[in-house]
Short mmCIF file of all heavy atoms in Angstrom, two decimals:
data_model
loop_
_atom_site.label_atom_id
_atom_site.label_comp_id
_atom_site.label_asym_id
_atom_site.label_seq_id
_atom_site.Cartn_x
_atom_site.Cartn_y
_atom_site.Cartn_z
N GLN A 166 71.41 127.29 113.45
CA GLN A 166 69.98 127.26 113.27
C GLN A 166 69.55 125.82 113.04
O GLN A 166 70.35 125.00 112.62
CB GLN A 166 69.56 128.17 112.12
CG GLN A 166 69.89 127.67 110.74
CD GLN A 166 69.49 128.68 109.68
OE1 GLN A 166 69.34 129.85 109.93
NE2 GLN A 166 69.30 128.21 108.48
N CYS A 167 68.31 125.55 113.33
CA CYS A 167 67.78 124.19 113.19
C CYS A 167 66.83 124.15 112.00
O CYS A 167 65.89 124.93 111.93
CB CYS A 167 67.08 123.75 114.46
SG CYS A 167 66.41 122.07 114.34
N MET A 168 67.08 123.23 111.11
CA MET A 168 66.23 123.08 109.94
C MET A 168 64.97 122.27 110.26
O MET A 168 64.02 122.27 109.50
CB MET A 168 67.00 122.40 108.80
CG MET A 168 68.28 123.15 108.43
SD MET A 168 68.03 124.89 108.03
CE MET A 168 67.13 124.73 106.51
N SER A 169 64.97 121.59 111.40
CA SER A 169 63.84 120.75 111.77
C SER A 169 62.82 121.46 112.66
O SER A 169 61.66 121.08 112.69
CB SER A 169 64.34 119.50 112.50
OG SER A 169 65.25 118.78 111.69
N CYS A 170 63.25 122.47 113.38
CA CYS A 170 62.35 123.21 114.27
C CYS A 170 61.51 124.20 113.47
O CYS A 170 61.99 124.76 112.47
CB CYS A 170 63.13 123.98 115.33
SG CYS A 170 63.86 122.96 116.62
N ALA A 171 60.30 124.43 113.92
CA ALA A 171 59.44 125.43 113.29
C ALA A 171 59.92 126.82 113.68
O ALA A 171 60.38 127.04 114.80
CB ALA A 171 57.99 125.23 113.73
N GLY A 172 59.84 127.76 112.78
CA GLY A 172 60.27 129.13 113.06
C GLY A 172 61.74 129.33 112.74
O GLY A 172 62.41 128.43 112.26
N VAL A 173 62.21 130.52 113.01
CA VAL A 173 63.60 130.86 112.74
C VAL A 173 64.33 130.97 114.08
O VAL A 173 63.90 131.72 114.96
CB VAL A 173 63.71 132.19 111.96
CG1 VAL A 173 65.16 132.57 111.75
CG2 VAL A 173 62.96 132.09 110.65
N HIS A 174 65.39 130.21 114.23
CA HIS A 174 66.16 130.22 115.47
C HIS A 174 67.63 130.43 115.13
O HIS A 174 68.17 129.77 114.25
CB HIS A 174 66.01 128.89 116.21
CG HIS A 174 64.58 128.51 116.47
ND1 HIS A 174 63.85 129.09 117.47
CD2 HIS A 174 63.76 127.63 115.85
CE1 HIS A 174 62.63 128.57 117.47
NE2 HIS A 174 62.55 127.69 116.49
N ALA A 175 68.26 131.33 115.83
CA ALA A 175 69.70 131.56 115.66
C ALA A 175 70.35 131.40 117.03
O ALA A 175 70.56 132.37 117.74
CB ALA A 175 69.95 132.95 115.08
N TRP A 176 70.59 130.15 117.42
CA TRP A 176 71.19 129.86 118.71
C TRP A 176 72.70 129.81 118.62
O TRP A 176 73.27 129.45 117.59
CB TRP A 176 70.74 128.48 119.19
CG TRP A 176 69.31 128.33 119.56
CD1 TRP A 176 68.65 128.99 120.55
CD2 TRP A 176 68.35 127.44 119.00
NE1 TRP A 176 67.35 128.56 120.63
CE2 TRP A 176 67.14 127.60 119.69
CE3 TRP A 176 68.40 126.50 117.97
CZ2 TRP A 176 66.00 126.88 119.39
CZ3 TRP A 176 67.27 125.77 117.68
CH2 TRP A 176 66.08 125.98 118.38
N CYS A 177 73.34 130.13 119.74
CA CYS A 177 74.76 129.82 119.85
C CYS A 177 74.85 128.30 120.05
O CYS A 177 73.84 127.64 120.33
CB CYS A 177 75.40 130.57 121.02
SG CYS A 177 74.77 130.09 122.65
N GLY A 178 76.03 127.73 119.93
CA GLY A 178 76.20 126.28 120.06
C GLY A 178 75.64 125.71 121.36
O GLY A 178 74.83 124.78 121.33
N PRO A 179 76.05 126.25 122.53
CA PRO A 179 75.53 125.69 123.79
C PRO A 179 74.01 125.81 123.93
O PRO A 179 73.36 124.90 124.45
CB PRO A 179 76.24 126.52 124.86
CG PRO A 179 77.51 126.98 124.21
CD PRO A 179 77.13 127.21 122.77
N CYS A 180 73.42 126.90 123.44
CA CYS A 180 71.96 127.05 123.52
C CYS A 180 71.26 126.08 122.57
O CYS A 180 70.20 125.55 122.90
CB CYS A 180 71.55 128.48 123.22
SG CYS A 180 72.00 129.63 124.55
N ALA A 181 71.84 125.83 121.40
CA ALA A 181 71.27 124.85 120.47
C ALA A 181 71.28 123.46 121.09
O ALA A 181 70.31 122.72 120.99
CB ALA A 181 72.04 124.85 119.15
N VAL A 182 72.37 123.12 121.75
CA VAL A 182 72.47 121.82 122.41
C VAL A 182 71.43 121.72 123.52
O VAL A 182 70.72 120.71 123.63
CB VAL A 182 73.90 121.59 122.96
CG1 VAL A 182 73.95 120.39 123.88
CG2 VAL A 182 74.88 121.43 121.80
N LYS A 183 71.30 122.76 124.32
CA LYS A 183 70.33 122.75 125.42
C LYS A 183 68.90 122.64 124.88
O LYS A 183 68.09 121.89 125.42
CB LYS A 183 70.49 124.02 126.26
CG LYS A 183 69.62 124.05 127.49
CD LYS A 183 69.91 125.29 128.33
CE LYS A 183 69.04 125.32 129.56
NZ LYS A 183 69.30 126.52 130.37
N ALA A 184 68.59 123.37 123.82
CA ALA A 184 67.25 123.35 123.25
C ALA A 184 66.90 122.00 122.63
O ALA A 184 65.73 121.65 122.50
CB ALA A 184 67.11 124.45 122.20
N HIS A 185 67.91 121.23 122.27
CA HIS A 185 67.70 119.95 121.60
C HIS A 185 68.02 118.75 122.49
O HIS A 185 68.23 117.65 121.99
CB HIS A 185 68.52 119.90 120.31
CG HIS A 185 67.98 120.81 119.26
ND1 HIS A 185 68.31 122.14 119.21
CD2 HIS A 185 67.10 120.58 118.26
CE1 HIS A 185 67.66 122.69 118.20
NE2 HIS A 185 66.92 121.77 117.62
N ARG A 186 68.01 118.95 123.78
CA ARG A 186 68.33 117.87 124.72
C ARG A 186 67.45 116.64 124.47
O ARG A 186 67.92 115.51 124.56
CB ARG A 186 68.16 118.35 126.15
CG ARG A 186 68.55 117.32 127.18
CD ARG A 186 68.50 117.87 128.56
NE ARG A 186 67.10 117.93 128.98
CZ ARG A 186 66.69 118.47 130.11
NH1 ARG A 186 67.55 119.05 130.91
NH2 ARG A 186 65.42 118.46 130.43
N ASN A 187 66.20 116.85 124.11
CA ASN A 187 65.29 115.74 123.83
C ASN A 187 64.94 115.61 122.35
O ASN A 187 63.98 114.93 121.99
CB ASN A 187 64.01 115.90 124.66
CG ASN A 187 64.30 115.79 126.14
OD1 ASN A 187 65.02 114.91 126.57
ND2 ASN A 187 63.76 116.71 126.92
N LEU A 188 65.71 116.28 121.50
CA LEU A 188 65.48 116.24 120.05
C LEU A 188 66.80 115.95 119.31
O LEU A 188 67.25 116.74 118.48
CB LEU A 188 64.90 117.58 119.57
CG LEU A 188 63.60 118.04 120.25
CD1 LEU A 188 63.34 119.50 119.96
CD2 LEU A 188 62.46 117.16 119.81
N PRO A 189 67.43 114.84 119.61
CA PRO A 189 68.78 114.60 119.11
C PRO A 189 68.91 114.37 117.61
O PRO A 189 70.02 114.40 117.08
CB PRO A 189 69.22 113.35 119.87
CG PRO A 189 67.95 112.63 120.15
CD PRO A 189 66.93 113.72 120.41
N PHE A 190 67.81 114.16 116.91
CA PHE A 190 67.90 113.85 115.49
C PHE A 190 67.57 115.04 114.59
O PHE A 190 67.47 114.89 113.37
CB PHE A 190 66.99 112.66 115.15
CG PHE A 190 67.33 111.44 115.96
CD1 PHE A 190 66.46 110.96 116.91
CD2 PHE A 190 68.55 110.80 115.78
CE1 PHE A 190 66.78 109.84 117.67
CE2 PHE A 190 68.89 109.69 116.54
CZ PHE A 190 68.00 109.20 117.49
N HIS A 191 67.44 116.22 115.17
CA HIS A 191 67.19 117.41 114.36
C HIS A 191 68.43 117.76 113.54
O HIS A 191 69.55 117.48 113.93
CB HIS A 191 66.79 118.59 115.25
CG HIS A 191 65.33 118.59 115.57
ND1 HIS A 191 64.65 119.74 115.90
CD2 HIS A 191 64.41 117.61 115.58
CE1 HIS A 191 63.38 119.46 116.11
NE2 HIS A 191 63.21 118.16 115.94
N LYS A 192 68.18 118.37 112.41
CA LYS A 192 69.26 118.77 111.50
C LYS A 192 69.60 120.24 111.77
O LYS A 192 68.76 121.10 111.61
CB LYS A 192 68.84 118.56 110.05
CG LYS A 192 68.53 117.11 109.74
CD LYS A 192 68.31 116.90 108.28
CE LYS A 192 67.90 115.49 107.93
NZ LYS A 192 68.64 114.44 108.55
N VAL A 193 70.84 120.48 112.17
CA VAL A 193 71.27 121.84 112.51
C VAL A 193 72.34 122.33 111.55
O VAL A 193 73.01 121.55 110.89
CB VAL A 193 71.77 121.92 113.97
CG1 VAL A 193 70.64 121.66 114.94
CG2 VAL A 193 72.91 120.96 114.21
N GLN A 194 72.47 123.65 111.52
CA GLN A 194 73.49 124.30 110.72
C GLN A 194 74.24 125.29 111.59
O GLN A 194 73.69 125.83 112.55
CB GLN A 194 72.87 125.04 109.53
CG GLN A 194 72.19 124.14 108.54
CD GLN A 194 71.64 124.91 107.36
OE1 GLN A 194 71.37 126.10 107.44
NE2 GLN A 194 71.48 124.22 106.24
N ARG A 195 75.49 125.55 111.24
CA ARG A 195 76.34 126.49 111.98
C ARG A 195 76.81 127.58 111.02
O ARG A 195 77.17 127.31 109.88
CB ARG A 195 77.54 125.74 112.55
CG ARG A 195 78.57 126.65 113.19
CD ARG A 195 79.82 125.93 113.54
NE ARG A 195 79.61 125.22 114.80
CZ ARG A 195 80.47 124.39 115.32
NH1 ARG A 195 81.58 124.11 114.70
NH2 ARG A 195 80.22 123.81 116.47
N TRP A 196 76.79 128.81 111.50
CA TRP A 196 77.28 129.96 110.73
C TRP A 196 78.80 129.90 110.70
O TRP A 196 79.46 129.80 111.74
CB TRP A 196 76.80 131.26 111.36
CG TRP A 196 77.21 132.48 110.61
CD1 TRP A 196 78.18 133.36 110.96
CD2 TRP A 196 76.67 132.94 109.38
NE1 TRP A 196 78.28 134.35 110.02
CE2 TRP A 196 77.36 134.12 109.03
CE3 TRP A 196 75.67 132.47 108.53
CZ2 TRP A 196 77.08 134.83 107.87
CZ3 TRP A 196 75.39 133.19 107.38
CH2 TRP A 196 76.08 134.36 107.06
N ASN A 197 79.38 129.97 109.52
CA ASN A 197 80.84 129.89 109.40
C ASN A 197 81.49 131.24 109.09
O ASN A 197 82.66 131.31 108.77
CB ASN A 197 81.24 128.85 108.35
CG ASN A 197 80.88 129.26 106.95
OD1 ASN A 197 80.43 130.38 106.70
ND2 ASN A 197 81.05 128.36 106.00
N GLY A 198 80.71 132.30 109.19
CA GLY A 198 81.22 133.64 108.89
C GLY A 198 80.76 134.15 107.54
O GLY A 198 80.77 135.35 107.29
N ALA A 199 80.36 133.23 106.66
CA ALA A 199 79.87 133.61 105.34
C ALA A 199 78.48 133.06 105.06
O ALA A 199 77.67 133.71 104.44
CB ALA A 199 80.84 133.12 104.26
N HIS A 200 78.24 131.85 105.53
CA HIS A 200 76.94 131.20 105.31
C HIS A 200 76.75 130.07 106.32
O HIS A 200 77.68 129.70 107.02
CB HIS A 200 76.82 130.67 103.88
CG HIS A 200 77.81 129.59 103.57
ND1 HIS A 200 79.12 129.84 103.21
CD2 HIS A 200 77.69 128.24 103.61
CE1 HIS A 200 79.76 128.70 103.03
NE2 HIS A 200 78.91 127.71 103.26
N CYS A 201 75.52 129.56 106.37
CA CYS A 201 75.24 128.42 107.26
C CYS A 201 75.65 127.14 106.56
O CYS A 201 75.39 126.96 105.38
CB CYS A 201 73.75 128.35 107.61
SG CYS A 201 73.22 129.66 108.71
N GLN A 202 76.33 126.27 107.31
CA GLN A 202 76.71 124.98 106.75
C GLN A 202 76.23 123.88 107.68
O GLN A 202 76.15 124.08 108.89
CB GLN A 202 78.21 124.89 106.53
CG GLN A 202 79.03 124.93 107.80
CD GLN A 202 80.52 124.94 107.51
OE1 GLN A 202 80.97 125.63 106.61
NE2 GLN A 202 81.26 124.18 108.28
N PRO A 203 75.88 122.73 107.12
CA PRO A 203 75.40 121.63 107.95
C PRO A 203 76.44 121.21 108.99
O PRO A 203 77.64 121.20 108.71
CB PRO A 203 75.14 120.50 106.95
CG PRO A 203 74.97 121.19 105.63
CD PRO A 203 75.88 122.39 105.71
N THR A 204 75.97 120.88 110.15
CA THR A 204 76.81 120.35 111.21
C THR A 204 75.96 119.35 111.99
O THR A 204 74.87 119.01 111.56
CB THR A 204 77.36 121.47 112.12
OG1 THR A 204 78.35 120.93 112.99
CG2 THR A 204 76.29 122.16 112.92
N SER A 205 76.45 118.89 113.09
CA SER A 205 75.66 117.97 113.91
C SER A 205 75.59 118.50 115.33
O SER A 205 76.45 119.29 115.75
CB SER A 205 76.29 116.58 113.90
OG SER A 205 77.50 116.59 114.61
N LEU A 206 74.59 118.07 116.05
CA LEU A 206 74.51 118.45 117.46
C LEU A 206 75.72 117.93 118.21
O LEU A 206 76.23 118.59 119.12
CB LEU A 206 73.21 117.93 118.06
CG LEU A 206 71.96 118.69 117.63
CD1 LEU A 206 70.71 117.91 117.97
CD2 LEU A 206 71.92 120.07 118.26
N MET A 207 76.23 116.76 117.82
CA MET A 207 77.42 116.21 118.46
C MET A 207 78.62 117.15 118.26
O MET A 207 79.39 117.37 119.19
CB MET A 207 77.74 114.83 117.91
CG MET A 207 78.82 114.12 118.71
SD MET A 207 79.02 112.39 118.26
CE MET A 207 80.01 112.54 116.81
N ASP A 208 78.77 117.71 117.07
CA ASP A 208 79.86 118.66 116.82
C ASP A 208 79.71 119.92 117.67
O ASP A 208 80.69 120.61 117.94
CB ASP A 208 79.93 119.04 115.34
CG ASP A 208 80.47 117.92 114.47
OD1 ASP A 208 81.11 116.99 115.01
OD2 ASP A 208 80.24 117.98 113.25
N LEU A 209 78.48 120.23 118.08
CA LEU A 209 78.23 121.40 118.92
C LEU A 209 78.37 121.09 120.41
O LEU A 209 78.19 121.95 121.25
CB LEU A 209 76.83 121.96 118.64
CG LEU A 209 76.59 122.49 117.23
CD1 LEU A 209 75.15 122.93 117.07
CD2 LEU A 209 77.54 123.64 116.92
N GLY A 210 78.67 119.81 120.74
CA GLY A 210 78.88 119.44 122.13
C GLY A 210 77.77 118.61 122.74
O GLY A 210 77.78 118.35 123.94
N PHE A 211 76.82 118.15 121.92
CA PHE A 211 75.70 117.37 122.42
C PHE A 211 76.18 116.00 122.90
O PHE A 211 76.96 115.33 122.23
CB PHE A 211 74.67 117.19 121.31
CG PHE A 211 73.45 116.40 121.71
CD1 PHE A 211 72.39 117.03 122.32
CD2 PHE A 211 73.37 115.05 121.48
CE1 PHE A 211 71.25 116.32 122.68
CE2 PHE A 211 72.24 114.33 121.83
CZ PHE A 211 71.18 114.97 122.43
N LEU A 212 75.71 115.61 124.07
CA LEU A 212 75.96 114.27 124.60
C LEU A 212 74.61 113.74 125.05
O LEU A 212 73.97 114.33 125.93
CB LEU A 212 76.93 114.32 125.78
CG LEU A 212 77.29 113.00 126.43
CD1 LEU A 212 77.94 112.06 125.42
CD2 LEU A 212 78.22 113.24 127.60
N TRP A 213 74.17 112.65 124.45
CA TRP A 213 72.83 112.12 124.71
C TRP A 213 72.87 111.20 125.91
O TRP A 213 73.53 110.16 125.89
CB TRP A 213 72.33 111.38 123.49
CG TRP A 213 70.88 111.05 123.51
CD1 TRP A 213 69.94 111.47 124.41
CD2 TRP A 213 70.18 110.23 122.58
NE1 TRP A 213 68.71 110.98 124.08
CE2 TRP A 213 68.82 110.21 122.96
CE3 TRP A 213 70.56 109.53 121.45
CZ2 TRP A 213 67.86 109.50 122.26
CZ3 TRP A 213 69.60 108.84 120.75
CH2 TRP A 213 68.26 108.82 121.16
N HIS A 214 72.17 111.60 126.95
CA HIS A 214 72.06 110.79 128.17
C HIS A 214 70.75 110.03 128.09
O HIS A 214 69.68 110.61 128.19
CB HIS A 214 72.10 111.67 129.42
CG HIS A 214 73.36 112.43 129.56
ND1 HIS A 214 74.51 111.85 130.05
CD2 HIS A 214 73.70 113.70 129.25
CE1 HIS A 214 75.48 112.74 130.05
NE2 HIS A 214 75.01 113.87 129.57
N ILE A 215 70.85 108.73 127.91
CA ILE A 215 69.66 107.90 127.80
C ILE A 215 69.17 107.59 129.22
O ILE A 215 69.92 107.15 130.07
CB ILE A 215 69.96 106.62 127.02
CG1 ILE A 215 70.41 106.99 125.61
CG2 ILE A 215 68.74 105.71 126.98
CD1 ILE A 215 70.88 105.83 124.78
N GLY A 216 67.93 107.86 129.46
CA GLY A 216 67.37 107.68 130.80
C GLY A 216 67.53 108.95 131.60
O GLY A 216 68.17 109.90 131.19
N HIS A 217 66.95 109.00 132.75
CA HIS A 217 67.04 110.14 133.67
C HIS A 217 66.56 111.43 133.02
O HIS A 217 67.07 112.51 133.34
CB HIS A 217 68.45 110.30 134.23
CG HIS A 217 68.92 109.10 134.98
ND1 HIS A 217 68.47 108.80 136.24
CD2 HIS A 217 69.79 108.11 134.64
CE1 HIS A 217 69.05 107.68 136.65
NE2 HIS A 217 69.84 107.24 135.70
N GLY A 218 65.62 111.36 132.08
CA GLY A 218 65.04 112.56 131.48
C GLY A 218 66.01 113.38 130.64
O GLY A 218 65.85 114.57 130.48
N GLY A 219 67.02 112.74 130.08
CA GLY A 219 67.97 113.45 129.22
C GLY A 219 69.10 114.13 129.97
O GLY A 219 69.91 114.83 129.37
N ILE A 220 69.18 113.95 131.27
CA ILE A 220 70.28 114.52 132.05
C ILE A 220 71.18 113.39 132.54
O ILE A 220 70.77 112.23 132.58
CB ILE A 220 69.76 115.36 133.24
CG1 ILE A 220 68.91 114.51 134.18
CG2 ILE A 220 68.99 116.57 132.77
CD1 ILE A 220 68.49 115.23 135.45
N PRO A 221 72.43 113.69 132.90
CA PRO A 221 73.33 112.63 133.35
C PRO A 221 72.78 111.91 134.58
O PRO A 221 72.10 112.51 135.42
CB PRO A 221 74.62 113.38 133.70
CG PRO A 221 74.54 114.66 132.96
CD PRO A 221 73.07 114.99 132.86
N ALA A 222 73.10 110.63 134.68
CA ALA A 222 72.70 109.86 135.85
C ALA A 222 73.32 110.48 137.10
O ALA A 222 74.48 110.90 137.08
CB ALA A 222 73.16 108.41 135.71
N PRO A 223 72.57 110.57 138.19
CA PRO A 223 73.10 111.20 139.42
C PRO A 223 74.41 110.59 139.90
O PRO A 223 75.28 111.30 140.39
CB PRO A 223 71.97 110.97 140.43
CG PRO A 223 70.74 110.79 139.62
CD PRO A 223 71.20 110.14 138.34
N VAL A 224 74.58 109.29 139.75
CA VAL A 224 75.82 108.64 140.19
C VAL A 224 77.00 109.15 139.37
O VAL A 224 78.08 109.41 139.91
CB VAL A 224 75.69 107.10 140.07
CG1 VAL A 224 77.02 106.42 140.35
CG2 VAL A 224 74.61 106.60 141.01
N ILE A 225 76.81 109.34 138.09
CA ILE A 225 77.89 109.84 137.23
C ILE A 225 78.25 111.27 137.62
O ILE A 225 79.42 111.63 137.71
CB ILE A 225 77.50 109.75 135.75
CG1 ILE A 225 77.39 108.27 135.34
CG2 ILE A 225 78.49 110.49 134.86
CD1 ILE A 225 76.85 108.06 133.96
N VAL A 226 77.24 112.10 137.85
CA VAL A 226 77.49 113.49 138.24
C VAL A 226 78.29 113.53 139.53
O VAL A 226 79.27 114.26 139.65
CB VAL A 226 76.16 114.27 138.38
CG1 VAL A 226 76.40 115.64 138.98
CG2 VAL A 226 75.47 114.37 137.04
N GLN A 227 77.89 112.75 140.51
CA GLN A 227 78.59 112.72 141.80
C GLN A 227 80.03 112.24 141.62
O GLN A 227 80.94 112.79 142.23
CB GLN A 227 77.84 111.81 142.79
CG GLN A 227 78.35 111.91 144.20
CD GLN A 227 78.17 113.30 144.80
OE1 GLN A 227 77.47 114.15 144.28
NE2 GLN A 227 78.83 113.54 145.90
N THR A 228 80.25 111.24 140.77
CA THR A 228 81.60 110.73 140.51
C THR A 228 82.46 111.82 139.87
O THR A 228 83.62 112.01 140.25
CB THR A 228 81.54 109.49 139.60
OG1 THR A 228 80.75 108.49 140.24
CG2 THR A 228 82.93 108.95 139.32
N LEU A 229 81.91 112.55 138.92
CA LEU A 229 82.67 113.62 138.26
C LEU A 229 83.02 114.73 139.26
O LEU A 229 84.12 115.27 139.21
CB LEU A 229 81.88 114.18 137.09
CG LEU A 229 81.71 113.24 135.90
CD1 LEU A 229 80.77 113.87 134.87
CD2 LEU A 229 83.04 112.89 135.27
N ILE A 230 82.10 115.07 140.15
CA ILE A 230 82.36 116.08 141.16
C ILE A 230 83.49 115.62 142.08
O ILE A 230 84.42 116.38 142.36
CB ILE A 230 81.08 116.40 141.96
CG1 ILE A 230 80.08 117.14 141.09
CG2 ILE A 230 81.40 117.22 143.22
CD1 ILE A 230 78.69 117.28 141.70
N GLN A 231 83.42 114.37 142.50
CA GLN A 231 84.46 113.84 143.39
C GLN A 231 85.83 113.83 142.72
O GLN A 231 86.83 114.18 143.33
CB GLN A 231 84.09 112.43 143.88
CG GLN A 231 82.94 112.42 144.84
CD GLN A 231 82.43 111.01 145.12
OE1 GLN A 231 82.82 110.06 144.47
NE2 GLN A 231 81.54 110.91 146.11
N ARG A 232 85.86 113.46 141.47
CA ARG A 232 87.14 113.44 140.72
C ARG A 232 87.71 114.85 140.57
O ARG A 232 88.91 115.05 140.69
CB ARG A 232 86.96 112.81 139.35
CG ARG A 232 86.79 111.33 139.41
CD ARG A 232 86.69 110.74 138.03
NE ARG A 232 86.42 109.31 138.09
CZ ARG A 232 86.12 108.59 137.04
NH1 ARG A 232 86.07 109.12 135.84
NH2 ARG A 232 85.88 107.29 137.18
N SER A 233 86.84 115.83 140.29
CA SER A 233 87.33 117.20 140.10
C SER A 233 87.84 117.77 141.43
O SER A 233 88.78 118.56 141.44
CB SER A 233 86.25 118.09 139.51
OG SER A 233 85.21 118.31 140.44
N GLN A 234 87.24 117.37 142.54
CA GLN A 234 87.69 117.87 143.85
C GLN A 234 89.00 117.20 144.26
O GLN A 234 89.78 117.79 145.02
CB GLN A 234 86.62 117.62 144.90
CG GLN A 234 85.39 118.48 144.70
CD GLN A 234 84.25 118.14 145.64
OE1 GLN A 234 84.26 117.09 146.28
NE2 GLN A 234 83.26 119.01 145.72
N ALA A 235 89.26 116.01 143.76
CA ALA A 235 90.49 115.29 144.14
C ALA A 235 91.69 115.87 143.41
O ALA A 235 92.83 115.66 143.85
CB ALA A 235 90.33 113.81 143.80
N MET A 236 91.48 116.59 142.34
CA MET A 236 92.60 117.12 141.55
C MET A 236 93.20 118.33 142.16
O MET A 236 93.00 119.12 142.79
CB MET A 236 92.16 117.42 140.13
CG MET A 236 91.79 116.20 139.37
SD MET A 236 91.33 116.67 137.69
CE MET A 236 91.49 115.11 136.91
#
């Protein structure tokens, strides 16, 4: 859940990261089975792409695709 967003949100990790693509400084918590504990978007898999509207640069995406096809 996000302590910075208005309302109550119970996202899974990937959905929390997606929802915060342009909100990297929000304070999030993760359910540990007993209670919510503070965590970071980075711990949930967030990677901040500066520029290109918060998505990876097209050149990087193409390079990653080429590398995965070469394997």
Side-chain angles (χ1 to χ4, degrees):
Q166 73 183 22
C167 180
M168 303 306 292
S169 303
C170 287
V173 177
H174 306 282
W176 291 299
C177 65
C180 289
V182 169
K183 185 176 180 181
H185 290 84
R186 184 175 77 186
N187 295 314
L188 303 166
F190 303 112
H191 275 205
K192 299 188 184 315
V193 294
Q194 295 182 336
R195 173 189 279 173
W196 182 254
N197 68 7
H200 64 278
C201 289
Q202 65 184 42
T204 189
S205 69
L206 286 165
M207 190 170 81
D208 287 342
L209 296 176
F211 181 86
L212 180 60
W213 193 8
H214 298 280
I215 299 174
H217 300 285
I220 59 174
V224 173
I225 293 173
V226 172
Q227 190 63 13
T228 301
L229 292 173
I230 290 170
Q231 290 170 351
R232 286 183 185 171
S233 68
Q234 291 173 346
M236 294 182 161

